[in-house]
Amino acid sequence: MAGNRAARQTQIENWKQELIDNNTLTVIGGDTLAQYVLVGAAGLGVGELFVVDNSRVDKKVKGQFLHLDAKEGRSGARALEEIVSAINTDIDVFGVHTQLVHEQSGAYLPKRGVLLDATNDPRSKKVALEYAVEHGMKLILTSTNHARGEILVFNPETDDPLDPKYLQLDFKGQNQGAITSGVMGGIACEIYRKLCFQLDEKDVVPARVDYAFIKDEKLADLDDASRIKALKSKKVLEAGLGALGVYITLGLALENVGAIHGVDYDDVEETNLNRQWFYYDSVGDFKGDGFLKVVGKINPEVVLKYIFGKIGHELSPEDRKAGMTLVDPEYIAKRAYDVIAGGVDSERVRSVLNEFAIVTSIPYVDGGTSFKNGQAVAYVPQKTQCLECAIKIDEKADEHDQRAGCLLAHESSVVMSNMVIGSMVAGKILKILAPEFYGDVEGGLEIYDARSETVMYALASDVACNCHETRELRYEPDASKKGGQKWYQKKIKLFS
């Protein structure tokens, strides 16, 4: 059923796609968190997907990013059925327009597979628990607000449905956050996959997962209009519009960052589709075209620019002939980006982006993933460590270059780790852009590990490196030029 779109995940050892193809997932809710889960479920290729929600499409409601072309006032469940069916045409999607707040609601639900309640409504969770017990179904309960998120896994054979923790009362009536929903949505999909099959004995299902994005929850309650105003003037360079770039961009757009410039040169392949939902109808087109189209619908207020080009020091004759733009320190500095976001899967390009951040003194937030884990790290000159000091990115690039000739196929990849890390990267960017609303960005690594007991943990560091002072190469404003806007490069090798 999954076809070529699942090729990057089916090559994982012990991956059992047929157990996902033949399974049923019922997602309760239609808000931001549920929509992240639905995107993840479509990427996994869940054979039968039910969406239970009684809301109506309202374009003024924030976070409803899947209501792209849906008409105002239409059934939210039906609108989600239509777009998720388009994102993955190989799966069966059913929108059920009802609210799970009373026993009669259960008449519309399947009595098989897994239940997943993604609401902030304790009444919904109570009925979901009762339904899970009655039909012997595993249940994933998840809620978020702007500051944090929580996931609980309920097993009707061993757990007490009357335990009040399953109602997640702390989230009652609160709006769901974009960053927390992206992180929790990705992890919820990972847990669902584990309930379908486990890769080995270490691939265990956690009973609980907690995530704190904003440590001081008072900040999350600050005036939304002031936060939007603070972000409106900010500009981010998104390097890479692939699996990570999709979720970095989505998080920034939902939080109303003023401008996002995306640089990429790849076109869309069918094997991208299990992770990159922006391009569901754009196979064969450049990723940048899908980026402009989809993000422009999600938030028309964001100023978008697609840069058909490459990150580096020079272009090949073929690249120049193709009309590519060279994105180098001069290009970056002239445009005064507030942050560089790294969503690329090349260790070498990540190393180069780290170099460019050092020489331009522009913060760089980097993400890296595998199918089972990932990490996000923020480099803020004079405040945190650069990527070479934090994770030895230059060494990783050298090792990857040495292995490159032996790689005959794309590496394994899934939607979950990219959704989680992409959202974490977006969160770190927001902390750099507006710390008064999100808190200060922390140094060190934020790590997602699907096989650890806690699933997420931080290797924090309050040490800053001095690479911005000691590196031998500098890009400096030429004072002889008007406004000092002309930049030059000293011909000394960097990182010697």
Side-chain angles (χ1 to χ4, degrees):
M1 179 183 292
N4 290 336
R5 69 168 59 235
R8 296 285 290 276
Q9 61 197 37
T10 55
Q11 67 189 40
I12 297 170
E13 186 176 4
N14 295 326
W15 187 274
K16 300 178 178 63
Q17 184 65 40
E18 68 278 4
L19 296 183
I20 297 176
D21 290 344
N22 297 319
N23 198 264
T24 300
L25 175 63
T26 300
V27 178
I28 303 162
D31 207 342
T32 309
L33 178 54
Q35 294 193 19
Y36 270 102
V37 170
L38 290 170
V39 166
L44 275 172
V46 177
E48 193 175 48
L49 187 57
F50 284 78
V51 187
V52 182
D53 182 48
N54 77 329
S55 69
R56 297 281 177 180
V57 174
D58 183 349
K59 297 298 179 70
K60 296 188 296 295
V61 176
K62 299 174 182 177
Q64 311 297 304
F65 62 88
L66 285 180
H67 291 164
L68 298 174
D69 296 311
K71 293 183 178 180
E72 195 83 12
R74 189 183 180 195
S75 161
R78 297 284 192 271
L80 291 172
E81 172 189 327
E82 183 175 306
I83 183 60
V84 176
S85 296
I87 290 172
N88 189 340
T89 57
D90 293 333
I91 66 177
D92 296 322
V93 187
F94 305 94
V96 181
H97 187 80
T98 187
Q99 188 175 23
L100 195 67
V101 294
H102 50 72
E103 295 180 359
Q104 289 76 12
S105 303
Y108 301 99
L109 304 185
K111 301 174 177 61
R112 58 191 177 276
V114 176
L115 290 171
L116 195 157
D117 188 298
T119 72
N120 284 3
D121 187 345
R123 298 175 301 166
S124 175
K125 296 186 187 295
K126 180 177 182 294
V127 175
L129 286 160
E130 294 169 350
Y131 194 84
V133 170
E134 180 181 358
H135 299 289
M137 300 171 67
K138 300 286 179 62
L139 169 63
I140 303 168
L141 302 115
T142 180
S143 293
T144 68
N145 56 27
H146 287 288
R148 66 186 188 92
E150 177 184 276
I151 297 175
L152 298 170
V153 180
F154 174 78
N155 185 339
E157 297 180 0
T158 59
D159 298 328
D160 180 8
L162 299 180
D163 190 330
K165 71 180 181 182
Y166 292 116
L167 301 181
Q168 298 179 311
L169 294 168
D170 289 347
F171 299 90
K172 180 180 177 181
Q174 298 186 47
N175 293 327
Q176 295 181 341
I179 303 304
T180 53
S181 293
V183 172
M184 292 288 98
I187 296 173
C189 288
E190 186 73 72
I191 291 173
Y192 166 74
R193 191 274 302 164
K194 293 183 179 187
L195 293 176
C196 291
F197 66 87
Q198 291 167 252
L199 296 171
D200 54 40
E201 67 278 0
K202 295 182 180 180
D203 196 26
V204 297
V205 177
R208 180 188 186 112
V209 180
D210 293 284
Y211 173 64
F213 167 48
I214 301 176
K215 304 300 189 294
D216 183 357
E217 293 198 28
K218 294 179 181 178
L219 295 179
D221 295 330
L222 293 177
D223 180 56
D224 198 46
S226 298
R227 178 185 59 80
I228 293 174
K229 183 179 180 180
L231 291 172
K232 189 174 181 61
S233 63
K234 305 301 183 181
K235 182 164 58 174
V236 174
L237 175 65
E238 170 55 46
L241 297 174
L244 269 175
V246 162
Y247 293 103
I248 296 170
T249 302
L250 178 57
L252 297 178
L254 290 176
E255 288 291 307
N256 296 283
V257 169
I260 305 171
H261 293 186
V263 55
D264 203 298
Y265 61 90
D266 276 340
D267 53 13
V268 180
E269 301 176 4
E270 188 176 0
T271 55
N272 299 143
L273 299 181
N274 74 319
R275 306 169 318 287
Q276 303 173 29
W277 75 270
F278 280 5
Y279 315 124
Y280 66 92
D281 62 349
S282 301
V283 173
D285 298 337
F286 287 118
K287 290 180 181 178
D289 295 330
F291 154 77
L292 293 174
K293 179 173 67 175
V294 173
V295 181
K297 291 178 180 178
I298 291 171
N299 190 342
E301 299 299 316
V302 178
V303 177
L304 301 172
K305 181 178 180 180
Y306 167 41
I307 305 163
F308 176 62
K310 286 185 176 181
I311 306 290
H313 292 287
E314 61 181 0
L315 294 174
S316 69
E318 292 78 14
D319 292 340
R320 289 194 295 271
K321 186 176 181 180
M324 289 191 189
T325 296
L326 176 64
V327 179
D328 62 3
E330 180 178 347
Y331 182 98
I332 293 170
K334 279 184 175 180
R335 286 151 184 82
Y337 291 108
D338 295 288
V339 178
I340 303 167
V344 297
D345 57 7
S346 164
E347 308 284 10
R348 178 56 60 195
V349 176
R350 293 170 69 192
S351 172
V352 170
L353 285 168
N354 182 61
E355 170 195 329
F356 288 2
I358 291 171
V359 299
T360 60
S361 293
I362 295 175
Y364 169 48
V365 185
D366 174 85
T369 66
S370 75
F371 70 87
K372 58 186 177 183
N373 55 38
Q375 63 190 20
V377 57
Y379 167 54
V380 182
Q382 303 184 53
K383 183 175 181 180
T384 68
Q385 291 182 320
C386 75
L387 264 68
E388 173 58 14
C389 294
I391 63 173
K392 301 297 182 185
I393 190 63
D394 299 336
E395 292 182 15
K396 292 178 184 291
D398 291 340
E399 292 171 2
H400 188 271
D401 290 347
Q402 292 172 8
R403 299 196 322 268
C406 301
L407 298 177
L408 300 178
H410 291 298
E411 296 181 6
S412 304
S413 185
V414 294
V415 64
M416 294 84 75
S417 57
N418 286 290
M419 186 184 294
V420 172
I421 297 301
S423 299
M424 286 182 175
V425 168
K428 288 182 177 296
I429 292 170
L430 293 168
K431 288 174 181 284
I432 293 171
L433 297 178
E436 68 273 27
F437 295 99
Y438 298 97
D440 291 326
V441 69
E442 295 178 342
L445 279 64
E446 192 169 10
I447 295 173
Y448 163 68
D449 184 350
R451 298 191 174 198
S452 73
E453 292 184 3
T454 58
V455 181
M456 289 175 293
Y457 57 95
L459 298 177
S461 172
D462 58 1
V463 177
C465 68
N466 62 349
C467 292
H468 63 287
E469 297 175 349
T470 60
R471 296 302 188 190
E472 293 182 338
L473 180 64
R474 286 291 172 272
Y475 294 79
E476 301 173 353
D478 185 345
S480 67
K481 302 296 181 181
K482 184 178 180 180
Q485 296 302 307
K486 180 65 179 176
W487 289 63
Y488 68 90
Q489 174 182 334
K490 292 181 181 178
K491 295 181 179 179
I492 304 174
K493 185 179 180 182
L494 186 67
F495 301 147
S496 58

